[in-house]
């Protein structure tokens, strides 16, 4: 039993480590690919289409060689999920374009309470006071180290709300679909990736043209840009697979809370690799966020242990048998007395 728990803990840690490493890696690769100081490939939605196309290809090869098995999931559910996921991607891109960086970061932070409320509404899930407290600490910490100027406008707010709701619903749906159809994370991803790839490759260039006023057909491809596109796609496969793994193993809330560890890693690597400014405010925010993640992990472990604690039936009193014997003796005595009385009446 202990061996199974250790094996499960190791696999959970492995899935989480793969998600953090691949997510941070893809952010660093995309920063070099898309920044003005890099290769200025400003077509984020189309790049996401490339990501899902490569992921779909990997899934197809995996099914062909027998590494994974294809399970039946209704097409309408796959289409619905893909639409929600694509709205999430497009909404995030529009939110980043129309809002200030500060408001964009606040909208991302709001996903944690939104996911909590959605899980409460859809799955009647409740959270302990310790979990709620840790979530607040994480939100405050990440907010301190990432939020700068906050400017609000109607279009940006609408896009941000749409992005937050669709992303939260997408992450909850991953876990729900896996449980509903008893399907593995990679099998589910291999079914949804082709639909997302086709739709994003078709709509991506249009969305990107609206975002930055440039057509991908006019972009001058270089070997360096091509290398980082391929690197980004390879990392995206690991990132997508690990996201499905993590949400299948944990929950959407855990994925959001612990996912902010990536924010801390990105800020640190940005300071080390790209000479980004790292102020005392950033450092204090990181410390608060990490403290909140530690509290959250502790709170979830306590909650898990309390839910798994077996209900022990009240032990039988050691004097039960003695009491039974005494009752038998009393009954016998009463019967004898009753007989004596009856005999006395006959006299």
């Amino acid at each position: 039993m202990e061996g199974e728990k250790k094996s499960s803990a190791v696999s959970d840690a492995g899935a989480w480590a793969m998600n953090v490493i691949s997510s941070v890696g893809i952010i660093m690769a995309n920063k070099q690919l898309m920044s003005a100081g890099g290769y200025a490939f400003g077509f984020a939605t189309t790049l996401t289409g490339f990501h899902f196309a490569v992921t779909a290809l990997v899934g197809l090869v995996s099914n062909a060689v027998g590494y994974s098995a294809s399970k039946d999931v209704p097409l309408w559910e796959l289409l619905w999920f893909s639409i929600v996921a694509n709205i999430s991607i497009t909404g995030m891109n529009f939110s980043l374009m129309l809002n200030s960086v500060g408001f964009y970061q606040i909208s991302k932070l709001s996903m944690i309470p939104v996911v909590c409320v959605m899980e409460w509404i859809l799955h009647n899930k409740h959270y302990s006071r310790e979990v709620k407290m840790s979530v607040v600490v994480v939100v405050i910490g990440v907010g301190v180290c990432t939020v700068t100027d906050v400017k609000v406008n109607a279009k940006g707010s609408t896009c941000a709300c749409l992005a937050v709701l669709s992303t939260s619903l997408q992450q909850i749906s991953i876990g729900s679909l896996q449980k509903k159809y008893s399907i593995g994370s990679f099998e589910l991803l291999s079914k949804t990736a082709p639909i997302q790839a086709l739709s994003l490759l078709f709509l991506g260039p249009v969305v990107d043209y609206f975002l930055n006023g440039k057509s991908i057909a006019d972009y001058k491809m270089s070997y360096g840009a091509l290398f980082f596109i391929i690197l980004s796609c390879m990392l995206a496969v690991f990132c997508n697979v690990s996201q499905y793994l993590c949400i299948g193993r944990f929950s959407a809330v855990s994925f959001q809370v612990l996912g902010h560890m990536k924010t801390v890693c990105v800020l640190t690597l940005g300071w080390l690799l790209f000479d980004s400014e790292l102020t005392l405010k950033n450092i204090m925010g990181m410390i608060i966020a990490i403290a909140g993640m530690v509290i959250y992990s502790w709170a979830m472990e306590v909650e898990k242990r309390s839910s798994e604690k077996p209900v022990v039936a009240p032990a039988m009193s050691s004097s039960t048998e003695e009491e039974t014997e005494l009752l038998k003796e009393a009954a016998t005595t009463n019967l004898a007395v009753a007989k004596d009385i009856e005999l006395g009446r006959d006299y």
Side-chain angles (χ1 to χ4, degrees), residues 7-25:
S7 177
S8 177
V10 170
S11 59
D12 289 350
W16 190 252
M18 182 167 70
N19 183 257
V20 172
I21 293 170
S22 60
S23 298
V24 174

Side-chain angles (χ1 to χ4, degrees), residues 55-87:
T55 303
L57 180 62
V58 171
L60 185 64
V61 172
S62 177
N63 289 335
V65 299
Y67 178 76
S68 58
S70 180
K71 292 187 178 180
D72 291 331
V73 178
L75 180 60
W76 71 269
E77 291 226 46
L78 296 176
L79 288 172
W80 173 83
F81 175 83
S82 299
I83 290 170
V84 172
N86 287 348
I87 291 173

Side-chain angles (χ1 to χ4, degrees), residues 190-227:
S190 64
K191 285 185 171 295
T192 57
I195 302 172
Q196 289 186 254
L198 288 173
S199 55
L200 288 173
L201 288 175
F202 178 73
L203 296 173
V206 178
V207 174
D208 289 330
Y209 183 79
F210 183 81
L211 286 171
N212 56 35
K214 296 178 182 178
S215 172
I216 191 171
D218 298 329
Y219 181 76
K220 294 181 180 179
M221 186 66 68
S222 65
Y223 287 111
L226 183 61
F227 169 78

Side-chain angles (χ1 to χ4, degrees), residues 62 97 104 106 221 225 346:
S62 177
M97 180 189 75
Y104 176 75
I106 286 178
M221 186 66 68
D346 289 338

Side-chain angles (χ1 to χ4, degrees), residues 95-96 98-105 149-153:
S95 177
L96 184 58
L98 296 172
N99 295 310
S100 65
V101 176
F103 187 78
Y104 176 75
Q105 290 295 341
D149 60 310
V150 179
K151 295 178 182 177
V152 183
N153 61 80

Side-chain angles (χ1 to χ4, degrees), residues 24-47:
V24 174
I26 199 173
I27 290 171
M28 295 294 108
N30 288 351
K31 186 175 179 65
Q32 181 65 26
L33 175 65
M34 303 178 74
S35 65
Y39 296 96
F41 186 83
F43 309 98
T45 311
T46 306
L47 180 62

Side-chain angles (χ1 to χ4, degrees), residues 298-321:
W298 166 79
M300 290 302 293
E301 186 64 25
V302 170
E303 196 173 82
K304 184 178 178 182
R305 286 180 181 177
S306 63
S307 63
E308 291 178 351
K309 189 175 180 181
V311 179
V312 180
M316 294 291 291
S317 173
S318 58
S319 61
T320 303
E321 293 182 2

Side-chain angles (χ1 to χ4, degrees), residues 100-331:
S100 65
V101 176
F103 187 78
Y104 176 75
Q105 290 295 341
I106 286 178
S107 68
K108 287 182 70 176
L109 288 174
S110 68
M111 284 183 199
I112 298 179
V114 168
V115 168
C116 290
V117 172
M118 277 191 172
E119 286 200 323
W120 172 62
I121 293 172
L122 297 175
H123 300 145
N124 196 29
K125 190 170 183 178
H126 298 275
Y127 300 92
S128 65
R129 184 180 59 184
E130 291 80 7
V131 170
K132 294 175 184 176
M133 179 184 68
S134 64
V135 166
V136 172
V137 174
V138 171
V139 170
I140 292 173
V142 177
V144 168
C145 66
T146 59
V147 176
T148 53
D149 60 310
V150 179
K151 295 178 182 177
V152 183
N153 61 80
K155 289 183 180 179
S157 300
T158 303
C159 288
C161 290
L162 189 64
V164 168
L165 290 173
S166 57
T167 303
S168 302
L169 186 58
Q170 178 211 5
Q171 292 180 356
I172 292 173
S173 299
I174 290 173
S176 298
L177 288 173
Q178 286 185 244
K179 292 176 183 177
K180 185 176 181 180
Y181 297 103
S182 299
I183 187 171
S185 54
F186 187 75
E187 287 77 12
L188 179 59
L189 179 60
S190 64
K191 285 185 171 295
T192 57
I195 302 172
Q196 289 186 254
L198 288 173
S199 55
L200 288 173
L201 288 175
F202 178 73
L203 296 173
V206 178
V207 174
D208 289 330
Y209 183 79
F210 183 81
L211 286 171
N212 56 35
K214 296 178 182 178
S215 172
I216 191 171
D218 298 329
Y219 181 76
K220 294 181 180 179
M221 186 66 68
S222 65
Y223 287 111
L226 183 61
F227 169 78
F228 276 99
I229 288 174
I230 294 172
L231 177 62
S232 179
C233 289
M234 291 173 62
L235 289 168
V237 174
F238 290 100
C239 187
N240 288 330
V241 170
S242 61
Q243 179 184 359
Y244 279 59
L245 277 173
C246 287
I247 295 177
R249 290 172 179 271
F250 309 113
S251 68
V253 176
S254 297
F255 183 76
Q256 280 292 330
V257 171
L258 299 178
H260 285 300
M261 178 60 74
K262 292 179 280 189
T263 304
V264 175
C265 293
V266 168
L267 287 172
T268 305
L269 287 176
W271 172 63
L272 292 173
L273 301 178
F274 297 100
D275 296 325
S276 298
E277 185 181 5
L278 192 65
T279 63
L280 180 62
K281 175 175 169 286
N282 297 138
I283 296 171
M284 290 300 298
M286 289 180 191
I287 293 171
I288 295 171
I290 292 172
M293 293 170 202
V294 172
I295 296 171
Y296 179 82
S297 301
W298 166 79
M300 290 302 293
E301 186 64 25
V302 170
E303 196 173 82
K304 184 178 178 182
R305 286 180 181 177
S306 63
S307 63
E308 291 178 351
K309 189 175 180 181
V311 179
V312 180
M316 294 291 291
S317 173
S318 58
S319 61
T320 303
E321 293 182 2
E322 295 177 7
E323 289 174 355
T324 304
E325 292 298 325
L326 288 172
L327 288 171
K328 285 181 179 178
E329 290 178 8

